[in-house]
Amino acid sequence: MSGAGTTGVAPPPGTAGPPGEPGGGAGRVGAVRGWAAVVSVAVGIFALMTSELLPVGLLTPVGSDLGVSTGTAGLMVTVPGIVAALSAPLITVLAGRIDRRIVLCGLIGVMGAANLVSSFADHFALVLAARFLVGVAVGGFWSIAGGIALRLVPEHHVGRAMAVIFGGVETATVLGVPAGTHLGDLAGWRTAFAAVGVLGLFALVCMVFLLPSLPAVRVVGPLSLPRLLRDVPAVRRGLALTLLLVTGHFLAWTYLRPILEERTGADGGTVGGLLLAFGVAGLVGNVVAGVGAVRHVRGVVVAIGTTTALAVCLLPAVGTPAGALPVVLLWGLAYGAVPVTLQTWILRAAPRETEAATSLHVCAFNLSIALGAWGGGLLVDRLPAVAVVAPAALLALIAVPVAMAGGRFVADGESTS
Protein backbone atom coordinates (compact mmCIF):
# COMPACT_ATOMS: atom_id res chain seq x y z
CA MET A 1 0.00 0.00 0.00
CA SER A 2 1.53 3.30 -1.06
CA GLY A 3 -0.23 5.55 1.41
CA ALA A 4 -2.06 5.48 4.70
CA GLY A 5 -5.33 3.66 4.54
CA THR A 6 -7.58 1.47 6.59
CA THR A 7 -7.11 -2.22 6.63
CA GLY A 8 -10.83 -2.69 6.25
CA VAL A 9 -10.93 -4.98 9.30
CA ALA A 10 -12.65 -3.80 12.43
CA PRO A 11 -10.85 -4.61 15.68
CA PRO A 12 -12.56 -7.37 17.65
CA PRO A 13 -14.16 -6.66 21.01
CA GLY A 14 -11.63 -6.02 23.75
CA THR A 15 -9.11 -4.40 21.42
CA ALA A 16 -8.18 -0.79 20.87
CA GLY A 17 -8.45 1.21 17.67
CA PRO A 18 -7.93 4.84 16.79
CA PRO A 19 -10.72 7.32 17.55
CA GLY A 20 -13.19 7.43 14.75
CA GLU A 21 -12.23 3.98 13.45
CA PRO A 22 -14.33 0.85 13.75
CA GLY A 23 -13.89 -0.72 17.09
CA GLY A 24 -14.19 2.39 19.18
CA GLY A 25 -10.69 2.62 20.61
CA ALA A 26 -10.78 3.74 24.22
CA GLY A 27 -14.40 2.81 24.68
CA ARG A 28 -13.61 -0.82 23.87
CA VAL A 29 -10.57 -0.93 26.13
CA GLY A 30 -12.44 0.40 29.17
CA ALA A 31 -11.37 3.18 31.49
CA VAL A 32 -9.40 1.16 34.05
CA ARG A 33 -7.65 -1.08 31.53
CA GLY A 34 -6.97 1.89 29.28
CA TRP A 35 -5.17 3.81 32.03
CA ALA A 36 -3.31 0.66 33.11
CA ALA A 37 -2.12 0.33 29.52
CA VAL A 38 -1.03 3.98 29.52
CA VAL A 39 1.02 3.34 32.66
CA SER A 40 2.64 0.24 31.10
CA VAL A 41 3.68 2.28 28.05
CA ALA A 42 5.07 4.97 30.37
CA VAL A 43 7.14 2.27 32.12
CA GLY A 44 8.45 1.18 28.71
CA ILE A 45 9.33 4.76 27.76
CA PHE A 46 11.04 5.16 31.14
CA ALA A 47 13.17 2.07 30.55
CA LEU A 48 14.05 3.09 26.98
CA MET A 49 15.00 6.66 27.83
CA THR A 50 17.00 5.55 30.87
CA SER A 51 18.87 3.20 28.54
CA GLU A 52 19.44 5.84 25.86
CA LEU A 53 20.60 8.57 28.25
CA LEU A 54 22.44 6.49 30.88
CA PRO A 55 25.88 7.07 29.27
CA VAL A 56 25.56 10.82 29.93
CA GLY A 57 26.38 10.21 33.60
CA LEU A 58 29.00 7.52 32.87
CA LEU A 59 31.11 8.96 30.05
CA THR A 60 34.19 9.40 32.23
CA PRO A 61 34.30 5.92 33.83
CA VAL A 62 33.40 4.09 30.60
CA GLY A 63 36.03 6.04 28.66
CA SER A 64 38.68 5.36 31.30
CA ASP A 65 37.89 1.64 31.56
CA LEU A 66 37.73 0.99 27.81
CA GLY A 67 40.55 3.34 26.85
CA VAL A 68 38.69 5.95 24.78
CA SER A 69 38.39 9.74 25.05
CA THR A 70 35.37 11.53 26.49
CA GLY A 71 34.31 12.64 23.01
CA THR A 72 34.58 9.09 21.70
CA ALA A 73 32.62 7.79 24.68
CA GLY A 74 29.92 10.25 23.64
CA LEU A 75 29.29 7.92 20.67
CA MET A 76 27.27 5.84 23.15
CA VAL A 77 24.67 8.60 22.84
CA THR A 78 25.30 9.44 19.18
CA VAL A 79 24.99 5.90 17.77
CA PRO A 80 21.57 5.02 19.22
CA GLY A 81 20.36 8.48 18.26
CA ILE A 82 21.25 7.97 14.59
CA VAL A 83 19.90 4.42 14.54
CA ALA A 84 16.66 5.47 16.25
CA ALA A 85 16.22 8.23 13.69
CA LEU A 86 16.44 5.70 10.88
CA SER A 87 14.48 2.91 12.55
CA ALA A 88 11.49 5.07 13.54
CA PRO A 89 10.02 5.50 10.03
CA LEU A 90 11.36 2.12 8.86
CA ILE A 91 9.73 0.08 11.62
CA THR A 92 6.50 2.06 11.32
CA VAL A 93 6.26 1.02 7.68
CA LEU A 94 7.49 -2.55 8.17
CA ALA A 95 5.09 -3.14 11.06
CA GLY A 96 2.26 -3.14 8.50
CA ARG A 97 -0.71 -5.06 9.90
CA ILE A 98 1.16 -6.57 12.86
CA ASP A 99 -0.56 -6.01 16.22
CA ARG A 100 1.17 -3.01 17.80
CA ARG A 101 1.24 -4.76 21.17
CA ILE A 102 3.49 -7.47 19.72
CA VAL A 103 5.77 -4.89 18.11
CA LEU A 104 6.13 -2.84 21.31
CA CYS A 105 6.82 -5.88 23.48
CA GLY A 106 9.43 -7.21 21.05
CA LEU A 107 11.26 -3.88 20.92
CA ILE A 108 11.39 -3.45 24.70
CA GLY A 109 12.81 -6.98 24.97
CA VAL A 110 15.58 -6.12 22.50
CA MET A 111 16.49 -3.08 24.60
CA GLY A 112 16.78 -5.15 27.78
CA ALA A 113 18.99 -7.75 26.12
CA ALA A 114 21.24 -5.11 24.55
CA ASN A 115 22.00 -3.52 27.90
CA LEU A 116 22.86 -6.89 29.42
CA VAL A 117 25.32 -7.41 26.54
CA SER A 118 26.88 -3.98 27.26
CA SER A 119 27.43 -4.91 30.88
CA PHE A 120 29.73 -7.77 29.83
CA ALA A 121 31.55 -5.97 27.00
CA ASP A 122 35.34 -5.81 27.21
CA HIS A 123 35.77 -3.67 24.10
CA PHE A 124 34.19 -0.36 23.16
CA ALA A 125 33.15 -1.70 19.74
CA LEU A 126 30.89 -4.28 21.43
CA VAL A 127 29.33 -1.57 23.55
CA LEU A 128 28.56 0.41 20.39
CA ALA A 129 27.05 -2.69 18.75
CA ALA A 130 24.72 -3.08 21.72
CA ARG A 131 23.92 0.63 21.58
CA PHE A 132 22.95 0.09 17.92
CA LEU A 133 20.24 -2.32 19.12
CA VAL A 134 19.13 0.17 21.76
CA GLY A 135 18.66 2.70 18.97
CA VAL A 136 16.49 0.27 16.98
CA ALA A 137 14.30 -0.28 20.05
CA VAL A 138 14.02 3.41 20.93
CA GLY A 139 13.10 4.52 17.41
CA GLY A 140 10.56 1.80 16.73
CA PHE A 141 8.93 1.91 20.17
CA TRP A 142 8.58 5.67 20.36
CA SER A 143 7.22 6.01 16.82
CA ILE A 144 4.32 3.72 17.71
CA ALA A 145 3.85 4.63 21.37
CA GLY A 146 4.01 8.41 20.82
CA GLY A 147 0.42 8.62 19.61
CA ILE A 148 -0.95 5.56 21.37
CA ALA A 149 -2.84 7.58 24.01
CA LEU A 150 -5.42 8.32 21.30
CA ARG A 151 -6.26 4.60 21.25
CA LEU A 152 -6.33 3.93 24.97
CA VAL A 153 -8.34 6.70 26.66
CA PRO A 154 -11.33 8.92 25.78
CA GLU A 155 -10.54 12.00 23.70
CA HIS A 156 -10.95 14.43 26.59
CA HIS A 157 -8.25 12.54 28.55
CA VAL A 158 -5.69 12.33 25.73
CA GLY A 159 -3.67 15.34 26.93
CA ARG A 160 -3.41 13.89 30.41
CA ALA A 161 -2.52 10.43 29.10
CA MET A 162 0.20 11.90 26.88
CA ALA A 163 1.63 13.69 29.91
CA VAL A 164 1.74 10.35 31.75
CA ILE A 165 3.42 8.55 28.83
CA PHE A 166 5.97 11.30 28.27
CA GLY A 167 6.36 11.54 32.03
CA GLY A 168 8.37 8.36 31.46
CA VAL A 169 10.98 10.53 29.74
CA GLU A 170 11.21 12.89 32.69
CA THR A 171 11.11 10.09 35.25
CA ALA A 172 14.06 8.54 33.45
CA THR A 173 15.86 11.83 33.97
CA VAL A 174 14.64 12.12 37.58
CA LEU A 175 15.33 8.53 38.66
CA GLY A 176 16.92 6.50 35.88
CA VAL A 177 19.97 8.54 34.87
CA PRO A 178 20.87 9.83 38.38
CA ALA A 179 20.36 6.36 39.89
CA GLY A 180 22.42 4.80 37.11
CA THR A 181 25.16 7.39 37.63
CA HIS A 182 25.17 6.76 41.37
CA LEU A 183 25.14 2.99 40.92
CA GLY A 184 27.97 3.28 38.40
CA ASP A 185 30.04 5.28 40.89
CA LEU A 186 29.37 2.74 43.66
CA ALA A 187 29.57 -0.58 41.83
CA GLY A 188 30.97 0.23 38.38
CA TRP A 189 29.42 1.21 35.07
CA ARG A 190 28.84 -2.44 34.11
CA THR A 191 26.49 -2.89 37.04
CA ALA A 192 24.55 0.20 35.96
CA PHE A 193 24.07 -1.18 32.44
CA ALA A 194 23.03 -4.58 33.82
CA ALA A 195 20.45 -2.89 36.05
CA VAL A 196 18.95 -1.11 33.04
CA GLY A 197 18.79 -4.46 31.24
CA VAL A 198 16.75 -5.90 34.11
CA LEU A 199 14.58 -2.77 34.05
CA GLY A 200 13.84 -3.45 30.37
CA LEU A 201 12.72 -7.00 31.17
CA PHE A 202 10.47 -5.65 33.94
CA ALA A 203 8.91 -3.21 31.47
CA LEU A 204 8.33 -6.13 29.09
CA VAL A 205 6.43 -8.04 31.79
CA CYS A 206 4.28 -4.98 32.56
CA MET A 207 3.37 -4.51 28.92
CA VAL A 208 2.61 -8.20 28.32
CA PHE A 209 0.04 -8.17 31.13
CA LEU A 210 -1.37 -4.63 30.89
CA LEU A 211 -1.31 -3.62 27.23
CA PRO A 212 -4.41 -4.67 25.23
CA SER A 213 -4.32 -5.94 21.68
CA LEU A 214 -3.71 -3.04 19.29
CA PRO A 215 -4.48 -4.22 15.76
CA ALA A 216 -3.28 -2.04 12.90
CA VAL A 217 -6.38 -0.27 11.64
CA ARG A 218 -4.45 2.34 9.63
CA VAL A 219 -1.39 1.05 7.79
CA VAL A 220 1.50 3.40 6.97
CA GLY A 221 2.79 2.86 3.43
CA PRO A 222 6.27 3.83 2.20
CA LEU A 223 4.93 6.91 0.36
CA SER A 224 2.92 8.17 3.33
CA LEU A 225 5.89 9.88 4.95
CA PRO A 226 7.13 12.00 2.01
CA ARG A 227 3.52 12.91 1.20
CA LEU A 228 2.98 14.12 4.76
CA LEU A 229 6.15 16.22 4.60
CA ARG A 230 5.10 17.70 1.26
CA ASP A 231 1.48 18.48 2.07
CA VAL A 232 1.47 19.61 5.72
CA PRO A 233 3.61 22.68 6.48
CA ALA A 234 2.87 22.47 10.22
CA VAL A 235 4.52 19.05 10.32
CA ARG A 236 7.63 20.47 8.65
CA ARG A 237 7.74 23.31 11.14
CA GLY A 238 7.33 20.89 14.05
CA LEU A 239 10.26 18.83 12.78
CA ALA A 240 12.37 21.98 12.41
CA LEU A 241 11.57 22.92 16.02
CA THR A 242 12.57 19.42 17.11
CA LEU A 243 15.93 19.68 15.35
CA LEU A 244 16.65 23.08 16.88
CA LEU A 245 15.56 22.47 20.47
CA VAL A 246 16.77 18.91 20.89
CA THR A 247 20.10 19.36 19.09
CA GLY A 248 20.77 22.46 21.15
CA HIS A 249 19.91 20.66 24.37
CA PHE A 250 22.10 17.62 23.74
CA LEU A 251 25.03 19.72 22.52
CA ALA A 252 25.39 20.87 26.11
CA TRP A 253 23.58 18.31 28.27
CA THR A 254 25.51 15.27 27.01
CA TYR A 255 28.66 16.88 28.38
CA LEU A 256 27.18 18.32 31.56
CA ARG A 257 29.38 16.08 33.70
CA PRO A 258 32.69 17.30 32.22
CA ILE A 259 31.36 20.88 32.28
CA LEU A 260 30.54 20.63 35.98
CA GLU A 261 33.84 18.89 36.74
CA GLU A 262 35.68 21.63 34.86
CA ARG A 263 33.80 24.61 36.28
CA THR A 264 32.94 23.49 39.82
CA GLY A 265 35.19 20.52 40.64
CA ALA A 266 32.10 18.36 41.25
CA ASP A 267 32.65 14.62 41.76
CA GLY A 268 30.45 11.80 40.44
CA GLY A 269 28.09 11.84 43.41
CA THR A 270 27.54 15.58 43.15
CA VAL A 271 26.90 15.32 39.40
CA GLY A 272 24.35 12.59 40.10
CA GLY A 273 22.59 14.88 42.58
CA LEU A 274 22.47 17.73 40.07
CA LEU A 275 21.10 15.37 37.40
CA LEU A 276 18.43 14.37 39.90
CA ALA A 277 17.54 18.04 40.43
CA PHE A 278 17.39 18.50 36.64
CA GLY A 279 15.00 15.57 36.38
CA VAL A 280 12.72 16.74 39.17
CA ALA A 281 12.39 20.12 37.50
CA GLY A 282 11.80 18.33 34.20
CA LEU A 283 8.95 16.34 35.69
CA VAL A 284 7.30 19.59 36.75
CA GLY A 285 7.86 21.03 33.27
CA ASN A 286 6.28 17.94 31.70
CA VAL A 287 3.14 18.21 33.84
CA VAL A 288 2.74 21.93 33.22
CA ALA A 289 3.32 21.57 29.48
CA GLY A 290 0.96 18.59 29.26
CA VAL A 291 -1.84 20.95 30.20
CA GLY A 292 -0.61 24.19 28.62
CA ALA A 293 0.42 22.81 25.23
CA VAL A 294 -3.10 21.56 24.52
CA ARG A 295 -4.32 25.17 24.35
CA HIS A 296 -1.19 27.22 23.69
CA VAL A 297 1.38 24.94 22.05
CA ARG A 298 3.09 27.79 20.17
CA GLY A 299 3.48 29.87 23.32
CA VAL A 300 4.91 26.92 25.24
CA VAL A 301 7.53 26.35 22.51
CA VAL A 302 8.55 30.03 22.70
CA ALA A 303 8.90 29.74 26.48
CA ILE A 304 11.00 26.59 26.10
CA GLY A 305 13.38 28.21 23.62
CA THR A 306 13.99 31.38 25.63
CA THR A 307 14.32 29.60 28.99
CA THR A 308 16.72 26.99 27.61
CA ALA A 309 18.94 29.66 26.06
CA LEU A 310 19.02 31.62 29.33
CA ALA A 311 19.89 28.59 31.44
CA VAL A 312 22.63 27.34 29.12
CA CYS A 313 24.18 30.82 28.91
CA LEU A 314 24.41 30.92 32.71
CA LEU A 315 26.52 27.72 32.88
CA PRO A 316 29.91 29.45 32.37
CA ALA A 317 29.17 31.72 35.34
CA VAL A 318 28.81 28.93 37.91
CA GLY A 319 31.77 28.28 40.16
CA THR A 320 30.40 25.85 42.74
CA PRO A 321 27.92 22.95 42.73
CA ALA A 322 25.55 25.08 44.81
CA GLY A 323 25.74 27.82 42.20
CA ALA A 324 25.00 25.31 39.46
CA LEU A 325 21.81 24.11 41.15
CA PRO A 326 19.44 26.97 40.16
CA VAL A 327 20.80 26.90 36.60
CA VAL A 328 20.22 23.15 36.35
CA LEU A 329 16.70 23.53 37.79
CA LEU A 330 15.79 26.21 35.24
CA TRP A 331 17.20 24.13 32.40
CA GLY A 332 15.37 21.02 33.59
CA LEU A 333 12.07 22.89 33.81
CA ALA A 334 12.42 24.01 30.19
CA TYR A 335 13.57 20.71 28.72
CA GLY A 336 10.96 18.74 30.67
CA ALA A 337 8.33 20.46 28.56
CA VAL A 338 9.97 19.53 25.24
CA PRO A 339 8.82 15.95 24.52
CA VAL A 340 5.11 16.37 25.30
CA THR A 341 4.95 19.83 23.70
CA LEU A 342 6.55 18.78 20.41
CA GLN A 343 4.45 15.61 20.28
CA THR A 344 1.33 17.73 20.84
CA TRP A 345 2.42 20.00 17.97
CA ILE A 346 2.87 17.00 15.66
CA LEU A 347 -0.46 15.40 16.56
CA ARG A 348 -2.31 18.69 16.02
CA ALA A 349 -0.59 19.13 12.69
CA ALA A 350 -1.63 15.67 11.43
CA PRO A 351 -4.52 14.39 13.55
CA ARG A 352 -5.50 11.70 11.02
CA GLU A 353 -1.93 10.46 10.39
CA THR A 354 -0.71 9.93 13.94
CA GLU A 355 1.68 7.00 13.37
CA ALA A 356 3.21 8.48 10.21
CA ALA A 357 3.63 11.92 11.77
CA THR A 358 4.99 10.49 15.02
CA SER A 359 7.54 8.35 13.16
CA LEU A 360 8.85 11.48 11.44
CA HIS A 361 8.96 13.28 14.77
CA VAL A 362 10.86 10.43 16.43
CA CYS A 363 13.26 10.37 13.48
CA ALA A 364 13.96 14.09 13.89
CA PHE A 365 14.15 13.84 17.69
CA ASN A 366 16.71 11.04 17.75
CA LEU A 367 18.70 12.47 14.86
CA SER A 368 18.90 15.64 16.94
CA ILE A 369 20.17 13.68 19.95
CA ALA A 370 22.87 12.19 17.75
CA LEU A 371 23.82 15.51 16.15
CA GLY A 372 23.98 17.25 19.50
CA ALA A 373 26.10 14.54 21.14
CA TRP A 374 28.39 14.30 18.09
CA GLY A 375 28.82 18.07 17.71
CA GLY A 376 29.46 18.49 21.41
CA GLY A 377 32.00 15.68 21.31
CA LEU A 378 33.95 17.43 18.56
CA LEU A 379 34.09 20.56 20.70
CA VAL A 380 35.02 19.00 24.06
CA ASP A 381 37.84 16.99 22.51
CA ARG A 382 39.44 20.22 21.20
CA LEU A 383 38.31 22.99 23.56
CA PRO A 384 37.22 23.41 27.18
CA ALA A 385 33.90 21.61 27.76
CA VAL A 386 32.10 24.92 28.29
CA ALA A 387 32.60 25.68 24.56
CA VAL A 388 29.33 23.85 23.85
CA VAL A 389 27.32 26.63 25.52
CA ALA A 390 27.22 29.22 22.72
CA PRO A 391 25.98 26.96 19.88
CA ALA A 392 23.48 25.27 22.21
CA ALA A 393 21.95 28.59 23.26
CA LEU A 394 21.88 29.88 19.67
CA LEU A 395 19.90 26.86 18.42
CA ALA A 396 17.37 27.25 21.24
CA LEU A 397 16.89 30.93 20.41
CA ILE A 398 16.38 30.26 16.69
CA ALA A 399 13.43 28.03 17.63
CA VAL A 400 11.51 31.08 18.91
CA PRO A 401 10.89 32.84 15.54
CA VAL A 402 10.32 29.45 13.87
CA ALA A 403 7.52 28.71 16.34
CA MET A 404 5.96 32.15 15.93
CA ALA A 405 5.96 32.07 12.13
CA GLY A 406 3.14 30.71 9.96
CA GLY A 407 -0.54 30.10 10.43
CA ARG A 408 -2.65 27.76 12.51
CA PHE A 409 -2.87 23.99 12.52
CA VAL A 410 -4.99 21.71 10.40
CA ALA A 411 -6.97 20.85 13.52
CA ASP A 412 -7.94 24.52 13.85
CA GLY A 413 -9.46 24.46 10.39
CA GLU A 414 -7.12 27.16 9.03
CA SER A 415 -3.94 27.50 7.02
CA THR A 416 -0.79 25.76 8.19
CA SER A 417 1.54 27.75 5.97
Side-chain angles (χ1 to χ4, degrees):
M1 185 177 294
S2 62
T6 60
T7 64
V9 180
T15 64
E21 298 287 358
R28 290 283 190 181
V29 174
V32 174
R33 191 177 181 190
W35 279 105
V38 166
V39 171
S40 74
V41 174
V43 172
I45 290 284
F46 168 69
L48 283 162
M49 295 310 297
T50 298
S51 174
E52 184 172 20
L53 301 179
L54 178 65
V56 170
L58 299 172
L59 291 182
T60 303
V62 172
S64 298
D65 188 29
L66 297 181
V68 297
S69 69
T70 298
T72 300
L75 290 173
M76 292 188 294
V77 180
T78 302
V79 167
I82 293 173
V83 174
L86 297 174
S87 67
L90 184 61
I91 289 178
T92 301
V93 172
L94 292 179
R97 299 171 184 261
I98 302 174
D99 190 306
R100 281 4 185 196
R101 175 177 179 267
I102 296 174
V103 177
L104 292 174
C105 289
L107 290 169
I108 203 73
V110 167
M111 183 278 290
N115 279 283
L116 292 175
V117 169
S118 292
S119 70
F120 291 103
D122 57 1
H123 194 281
F124 189 65
L126 183 56
V127 173
L128 288 186
R131 299 299 293 171
F132 179 96
L133 294 177
V134 169
V136 172
V138 169
F141 190 99
W142 197 351
S143 66
I144 294 172
I148 209 170
L150 297 167
R151 302 185 64 177
L152 298 176
V153 298
E155 185 176 357
H156 60 284
H157 286 157
V158 166
R160 191 178 305 170
M162 284 179 57
V164 171
I165 289 173
F166 284 97
V169 177
E170 307 312 324
T171 308
T173 312
V174 172
L175 297 176
V177 176
T181 301
H182 187 59
L183 182 60
D185 287 332
L186 289 178
W189 66 269
R190 297 178 187 278
T191 303
F193 275 90
V196 175
V198 173
L199 174 64
L201 298 180
F202 172 75
L204 173 60
V205 171
C206 289
M207 292 172 58
V208 166
F209 285 100
L210 297 177
L211 199 61
S213 177
L214 295 163
V217 179
R218 186 175 293 274
V219 177
V220 179
L223 298 183
S224 300
L225 306 181
R227 178 179 52 78
L228 194 60
L229 280 173
R230 182 191 67 223
D231 296 344
V232 187
V235 168
R236 296 198 298 269
R237 189 170 296 111
L239 298 180
L241 289 170
T242 301
L243 287 167
L244 291 166
L245 290 172
V246 180
T247 301
H249 171 74
F250 279 92
L251 256 170
W253 192 72
T254 305
Y255 302 96
L256 182 59
R257 178 168 182 157
I259 290 174
L260 292 174
E261 289 172 342
E262 182 180 284
R263 303 298 297 179
T264 72
D267 57 19
T270 302
V271 172
L274 288 170
L275 288 174
L276 176 62
F278 180 97
V280 171
L283 194 58
V284 174
N286 174 75
V287 172
V288 173
V291 176
V294 173
R295 297 183 178 180
H296 307 290
V297 65
R298 200 183 308 272
V300 175
V301 172
V302 170
I304 290 169
T306 53
T307 305
T308 299
L310 174 62
V312 172
C313 284
L314 290 173
L315 272 178
V318 302
T320 64
L325 179 60
V327 176
V328 168
L329 288 173
L330 183 64
W331 191 0
L333 184 68
Y335 184 72
V338 167
V340 68
T341 301
L342 294 178
Q343 182 68 27
T344 299
W345 181 297
I346 291 296
L347 292 181
R348 287 186 63 189
R352 298 182 184 277
E353 306 267 9
T354 56
E355 276 195 4
T358 298
S359 71
L360 290 172
H361 170 56
V362 174
C363 176
F365 201 106
N366 284 280
L367 179 62
S368 301
I369 292 175
L371 287 173
W374 174 73
L378 292 179
L379 290 173
V380 301
D381 274 350
R382 293 164 174 79
L383 300 168
V386 77
V388 299
V389 164
L394 179 62
L395 289 173
L397 281 177
I398 294 173
V400 173
V402 173
M404 296 176 66
R408 293 179 176 270
F409 295 90
V410 171
D412 297 324
E414 299 185 28
S415 171
T416 59
S417 61

